[in-house]
Amino acid sequence: ANIMLNSYKYFGFCTKVKYLGTVFTHSLNDSVDIQARIQKANGTFGAMAEVLKDKKLSYKIGLRTYEATVLNITIWMRK
């Protein structure tokens, strides 16, 4: 429901909002944000699974690629 400020002005109410990569909810519970980060990281890992599992890719490069993508999204939720 919208919150009225006076007879002609109001601001809207929403149950969740994303700001600077973090999801905020009206209950100020971080479980929604954590779930969103996990889902995003799982999607990224799934998209990169073939590359990360490639035997031709050195361990060091694979680890750096994982850190730069999957881990970065989990921590910072950036694409």
Side-chain angles (χ1 to χ4, degrees):
N2 293 326
I3 299 171
M4 295 297 294
L5 299 175
N6 56 33
S7 61
Y8 61 94
K9 289 185 181 179
Y10 67 91
F11 66 89
F13 176 81
C14 58
T15 57
K16 66 181 178 177
V17 65
K18 189 174 185 179
Y19 179 72
L20 297 177
T22 301
V23 178
F24 293 95
T25 63
H26 66 284
S27 64
L28 300 178
N29 187 334
D30 62 354
S31 63
V32 172
D33 185 52
I34 292 169
Q35 257 329 77
R37 288 171 190 251
I38 291 170
Q39 288 174 349
K40 192 82 136 163
N42 283 341
T44 302
F45 184 77
M48 298 196 65
E50 278 190 51
V51 173
L52 294 172
K53 292 177 182 179
D54 189 350
K55 298 294 181 189
K56 297 176 189 172
L57 188 69
S58 75
Y59 176 79
K60 186 176 179 179
I61 298 296
L63 180 61
R64 302 250 345 232
T65 303
Y66 174 82
E67 289 172 346
T69 56
V70 178
L71 199 56
N72 191 35
I73 287 171
T74 305
I75 295 170
W76 303 107
M77 190 123 174
R78 304 284 191 261
K79 286 200 238 183

